[in-house]
Amino acid sequence: MHRNLIRLKSLAAVCGIVVLSGAEAHAQVNVTQEHNNPSRDGVYIDPAFTPSAAANLTRDLNFNGAISGNVYAQPLYIEGGPSGPMIIAVTESNNVYALNATTGTVIWQRTDIGPPVTSGLPCGNINPAGITGTPVVDFVSRRLFFDALIDGSTKKHFIFSLNVDTGATTPGGWPVDVNATATYNGINFVSLAQEERGALALVNGIVYSAYSGYLGDCGNYHGWVVGVNINNPSTVGAWATTAIGGGIWGHGGVASDGTNMFVVTGNTFNTGGNWMGGEAIIRLQAGPVWTGQPTDYWVPTNWLSLDNSDTDLGGVSATVIDVPGATPSQLVLALGKDSNAYLVDRNNLGGITLPVTQANVSGINRGTSAVTYHTSEGTYFAFHNDAGAIKSYKITPTNPPTIVFAWSQNQTGRGSPWVTTTDGTNNTIVWVAGVSGDQRLHGYDGDTGAVIYAGGGANELMTGTRQWNTGIVARGRIYFGADNKIYAFSLPAGTPTPTPTASPTPTATSTPTATATATATATATSTSTSTPTPTSSPTATATPTATARPTPTARPRATPRPRPTPPPRPTL
């Protein structure tokens, strides 16, 4: 096998893409997790998404997409099974669906996971509360993992493992009762106080789920990360903030460089002025294990002021970024409710100290995921803030790197953006949905912010879009989840087979030698689910034939201006 193809296969394995060689000319494309990659970069490589084609995106009115329940989680796209390409969707009603990716009809569904919580929570703004965070798929074992909040005499979070092709619950210890198994330094996990907003991550055989409190900061909640060994679910590790509070609120949940995990925590309470885990970027090793060393946490020097004003550092989930030519070049990004962007050396977070660089990015940031992407003009990150703007900033390849404004566009709602590029650096488009705003898709040139796609016509209007949510891209299509519906949008040239090119994955960071050892906890016993029978016969889907790609058109280079922002609101 050619050396470049070997390198490509290794990279693609991390990104959930199967690269085939020789006669196996048809590459599988799989979206197995939030924002497509463990770094949470949000980048999708699809050669069909030239600016000229993207400008004529239309909704596929023949795609059914009907599901039941409110949707805060990103859909997933899985190929290689007996039923052909599938869209996986989950809802707050604790329903799980596999839909035919071409027709949108149900291949299998699970409506017996357990009743969602509709009353009895101390506070919050999601009702019913069931499956909120985006699931993750282990492509090798073809298993789907997600967290569900289930009602009963005791309200409990359970982490499930299902066969992605049939919906059947994995035997042998699944689902995992988080109440019964997660403890850290004498702190027991209590589901009644904990909300699971963020996406799950799967890193080296362990599935990680992060937890915050509910809107209103009620109860004795903590910021938690729980890890379950997917081949031995009786092995459960956990980390939690020592102080009450410190929730992990962002849609992206747990980010990873392929070895270590990164989360960003919010405000804590009653610390007596002693830092106890809040307002921080935390680096976790496998387990999860936290060393407690300054290399494994970063805290702004004004953390106590941020605590006292409920100005969470952790308004947006962590984004792992590589900046070629910069010193340091391996970074992690936090976007705070204080309107600041912070970049920190992910090999040595540094403790309570100044970051590598920071900049005021004008606008409160909370609940969402950011994106990062590379073009011929440099490395960028982009986000959608509370001030009604989609904004992009460039990170300079200098020693140290700096953050420079690139562009801004007015955009109602509060969604998490995603990015398309035809080859990894060219024809970069930043997409966002006007969730709870105009409820339309919007696309912007990644270098200039010029409008590429303005939302379409009457048929492209969605309904029931929820805050924080983000779309996915697969085979010339965009899929977006909303209440009771998955929407599909197609390019005019059809759905050509993408070239087998994976998104760049950040280089794994080094692990300090001084580490603690995670303690395994007892196996949970749950009676909440039964093994289902698939509800409909799978329908095989024909593989689309590749079509010629339109030639990219010249891009206007607008000079957008930043907008003033309103005063902060107190809660996530």
Short mmCIF file of all heavy atoms in Angstrom, two decimals, residues 263-292:
data_model
loop_
_atom_site.label_atom_id
_atom_site.label_comp_id
_atom_site.label_asym_id
_atom_site.label_seq_id
_atom_site.Cartn_x
_atom_site.Cartn_y
_atom_site.Cartn_z
N VAL A 263 -12.07 19.76 29.31
CA VAL A 263 -13.38 20.34 29.60
C VAL A 263 -13.17 21.73 30.18
O VAL A 263 -12.09 22.05 30.69
CB VAL A 263 -14.21 19.47 30.57
CG1 VAL A 263 -14.57 18.14 29.93
CG2 VAL A 263 -13.48 19.26 31.90
N VAL A 264 -14.23 22.56 30.11
CA VAL A 264 -14.18 23.90 30.67
C VAL A 264 -15.30 24.03 31.68
O VAL A 264 -16.46 23.71 31.38
CB VAL A 264 -14.31 24.97 29.58
CG1 VAL A 264 -14.01 26.35 30.17
CG2 VAL A 264 -13.41 24.68 28.40
N THR A 265 -14.97 24.48 32.90
CA THR A 265 -15.94 24.55 33.99
C THR A 265 -16.44 25.98 34.20
O THR A 265 -15.78 26.94 33.81
CB THR A 265 -15.34 24.00 35.29
OG1 THR A 265 -14.19 24.80 35.64
CG2 THR A 265 -14.92 22.55 35.13
N GLY A 266 -17.58 26.07 34.88
CA GLY A 266 -18.19 27.37 35.17
C GLY A 266 -17.98 27.80 36.61
O GLY A 266 -17.07 27.34 37.30
N ASN A 267 -18.87 28.69 37.06
CA ASN A 267 -18.71 29.30 38.39
C ASN A 267 -19.00 28.32 39.51
O ASN A 267 -19.83 27.41 39.39
CB ASN A 267 -19.62 30.52 38.53
CG ASN A 267 -21.09 30.17 38.42
OD1 ASN A 267 -21.56 29.73 37.38
ND2 ASN A 267 -21.83 30.36 39.52
N THR A 268 -18.28 28.50 40.63
CA THR A 268 -18.46 27.68 41.83
C THR A 268 -18.97 28.56 42.97
O THR A 268 -19.05 29.79 42.86
CB THR A 268 -17.14 27.01 42.23
OG1 THR A 268 -16.08 27.99 42.21
CG2 THR A 268 -16.78 25.89 41.28
N PHE A 269 -19.32 27.91 44.09
CA PHE A 269 -19.94 28.60 45.22
C PHE A 269 -19.23 28.27 46.53
O PHE A 269 -18.73 27.15 46.72
CB PHE A 269 -21.42 28.19 45.34
CG PHE A 269 -22.21 28.41 44.08
CD1 PHE A 269 -22.37 27.40 43.15
CD2 PHE A 269 -22.79 29.64 43.82
CE1 PHE A 269 -23.09 27.60 41.98
CE2 PHE A 269 -23.52 29.85 42.66
CZ PHE A 269 -23.66 28.82 41.74
N ASN A 270 -19.21 29.25 47.42
CA ASN A 270 -18.76 29.04 48.81
C ASN A 270 -17.35 28.44 48.88
O ASN A 270 -17.09 27.51 49.63
CB ASN A 270 -19.75 28.14 49.57
CG ASN A 270 -21.17 28.69 49.52
OD1 ASN A 270 -21.39 29.89 49.62
ND2 ASN A 270 -22.12 27.78 49.35
N THR A 271 -16.45 29.00 48.10
CA THR A 271 -15.07 28.48 48.08
C THR A 271 -14.19 29.11 49.15
O THR A 271 -13.07 28.63 49.37
CB THR A 271 -14.43 28.74 46.72
OG1 THR A 271 -14.31 30.15 46.52
CG2 THR A 271 -15.25 28.13 45.59
N GLY A 272 -14.66 30.19 49.76
CA GLY A 272 -13.82 30.89 50.74
C GLY A 272 -12.58 31.50 50.10
O GLY A 272 -11.57 31.74 50.78
N GLY A 273 -12.65 31.74 48.80
CA GLY A 273 -11.51 32.32 48.10
C GLY A 273 -10.46 31.32 47.68
O GLY A 273 -9.41 31.70 47.14
N ASN A 274 -10.72 30.04 47.89
CA ASN A 274 -9.79 28.98 47.49
C ASN A 274 -10.29 28.32 46.21
O ASN A 274 -11.43 27.86 46.15
CB ASN A 274 -9.67 27.93 48.60
CG ASN A 274 -9.16 28.52 49.89
OD1 ASN A 274 -8.12 29.17 49.92
ND2 ASN A 274 -9.90 28.31 50.98
N TRP A 275 -9.42 28.26 45.20
CA TRP A 275 -9.85 27.65 43.95
C TRP A 275 -10.11 26.16 44.16
O TRP A 275 -9.29 25.43 44.73
CB TRP A 275 -8.78 27.82 42.87
CG TRP A 275 -9.22 27.18 41.58
CD1 TRP A 275 -10.15 27.65 40.71
CD2 TRP A 275 -8.76 25.93 41.05
NE1 TRP A 275 -10.31 26.77 39.66
CE2 TRP A 275 -9.47 25.71 39.84
CE3 TRP A 275 -7.83 24.98 41.47
CZ2 TRP A 275 -9.26 24.58 39.05
CZ3 TRP A 275 -7.63 23.86 40.68
CH2 TRP A 275 -8.34 23.66 39.49
N MET A 276 -11.29 25.70 43.68
CA MET A 276 -11.72 24.31 43.92
C MET A 276 -12.33 23.69 42.66
O MET A 276 -13.28 22.94 42.74
CB MET A 276 -12.71 24.27 45.09
CG MET A 276 -12.13 24.82 46.39
SD MET A 276 -13.38 25.12 47.68
CE MET A 276 -13.85 23.45 48.10
N GLY A 277 -11.78 24.05 41.49
CA GLY A 277 -12.17 23.36 40.26
C GLY A 277 -12.98 24.17 39.27
O GLY A 277 -13.16 23.73 38.13
N GLY A 278 -13.50 25.32 39.69
CA GLY A 278 -14.34 26.10 38.79
C GLY A 278 -13.56 27.07 37.93
O GLY A 278 -12.36 27.27 38.12
N GLU A 279 -14.23 27.67 36.95
CA GLU A 279 -13.66 28.69 36.07
C GLU A 279 -12.33 28.23 35.49
O GLU A 279 -11.32 28.93 35.53
CB GLU A 279 -13.46 30.01 36.84
CG GLU A 279 -14.67 30.53 37.60
CD GLU A 279 -15.77 31.07 36.70
OE1 GLU A 279 -15.68 30.93 35.46
OE2 GLU A 279 -16.73 31.65 37.24
N ALA A 280 -12.31 27.04 34.91
CA ALA A 280 -11.03 26.44 34.53
C ALA A 280 -11.14 25.62 33.26
O ALA A 280 -12.20 25.10 32.90
CB ALA A 280 -10.52 25.53 35.65
N ILE A 281 -9.99 25.50 32.57
CA ILE A 281 -9.79 24.45 31.59
C ILE A 281 -9.10 23.30 32.32
O ILE A 281 -8.06 23.50 32.96
CB ILE A 281 -8.91 24.92 30.42
CG1 ILE A 281 -9.55 26.11 29.69
CG2 ILE A 281 -8.68 23.77 29.43
CD1 ILE A 281 -8.66 26.71 28.61
N ILE A 282 -9.70 22.13 32.27
CA ILE A 282 -9.18 20.95 32.97
C ILE A 282 -8.72 19.94 31.93
O ILE A 282 -9.45 19.62 30.98
CB ILE A 282 -10.26 20.31 33.87
CG1 ILE A 282 -10.78 21.32 34.90
CG2 ILE A 282 -9.72 19.05 34.54
CD1 ILE A 282 -9.79 21.69 35.99
N ARG A 283 -7.50 19.42 32.11
CA ARG A 283 -7.01 18.33 31.26
C ARG A 283 -7.05 17.03 32.06
O ARG A 283 -6.49 16.94 33.15
CB ARG A 283 -5.58 18.59 30.78
CG ARG A 283 -5.07 17.48 29.86
CD ARG A 283 -3.75 17.81 29.21
NE ARG A 283 -2.63 17.71 30.13
CZ ARG A 283 -1.35 17.72 29.74
NH1 ARG A 283 -1.05 17.81 28.46
NH2 ARG A 283 -0.39 17.63 30.63
N LEU A 284 -7.72 16.04 31.49
CA LEU A 284 -7.89 14.74 32.14
C LEU A 284 -7.17 13.66 31.33
O LEU A 284 -7.20 13.67 30.10
CB LEU A 284 -9.38 14.39 32.25
CG LEU A 284 -10.23 15.37 33.06
CD1 LEU A 284 -11.71 15.12 32.80
CD2 LEU A 284 -9.92 15.26 34.55
N GLN A 285 -6.57 12.74 32.04
CA GLN A 285 -5.99 11.57 31.41
C GLN A 285 -6.99 10.43 31.43
O GLN A 285 -8.08 10.55 32.00
CB GLN A 285 -4.68 11.21 32.13
CG GLN A 285 -3.63 12.31 32.03
CD GLN A 285 -2.47 12.12 32.96
OE1 GLN A 285 -2.17 10.99 33.35
NE2 GLN A 285 -1.80 13.20 33.33
N ALA A 286 -6.65 9.32 30.80
CA ALA A 286 -7.58 8.20 30.64
C ALA A 286 -8.15 7.78 31.98
O ALA A 286 -7.42 7.65 32.97
CB ALA A 286 -6.87 7.03 29.97
N GLY A 287 -9.45 7.57 32.02
CA GLY A 287 -10.10 7.11 33.24
C GLY A 287 -11.51 7.63 33.47
O GLY A 287 -12.43 6.86 33.52
N PRO A 288 -11.70 8.94 33.76
CA PRO A 288 -10.74 10.04 33.73
C PRO A 288 -9.93 10.15 35.02
O PRO A 288 -10.43 9.87 36.11
CB PRO A 288 -11.64 11.27 33.58
CG PRO A 288 -12.88 10.90 34.33
CD PRO A 288 -13.08 9.42 34.11
N VAL A 289 -8.68 10.57 34.88
CA VAL A 289 -7.79 10.81 36.00
C VAL A 289 -7.28 12.25 35.90
O VAL A 289 -6.88 12.68 34.81
CB VAL A 289 -6.60 9.83 35.98
CG1 VAL A 289 -5.54 10.24 36.99
CG2 VAL A 289 -7.09 8.41 36.28
N TRP A 290 -7.31 12.96 37.01
CA TRP A 290 -6.77 14.32 37.08
C TRP A 290 -5.62 14.34 38.07
O TRP A 290 -5.78 13.92 39.22
CB TRP A 290 -7.85 15.31 37.51
CG TRP A 290 -7.40 16.74 37.50
CD1 TRP A 290 -6.94 17.44 36.43
CD2 TRP A 290 -7.39 17.63 38.61
NE1 TRP A 290 -6.63 18.73 36.81
CE2 TRP A 290 -6.90 18.88 38.14
CE3 TRP A 290 -7.74 17.51 39.96
CZ2 TRP A 290 -6.75 19.99 38.97
CZ3 TRP A 290 -7.60 18.62 40.78
CH2 TRP A 290 -7.11 19.84 40.29
N THR A 291 -4.46 14.82 37.63
CA THR A 291 -3.28 14.79 38.50
C THR A 291 -3.30 15.86 39.57
O THR A 291 -2.61 15.73 40.58
CB THR A 291 -2.00 14.97 37.67
OG1 THR A 291 -1.96 16.31 37.15
CG2 THR A 291 -1.93 13.96 36.53
N GLY A 292 -4.04 16.94 39.35
CA GLY A 292 -4.01 18.06 40.29
C GLY A 292 -2.81 18.97 40.11
O GLY A 292 -2.67 19.96 40.83
#
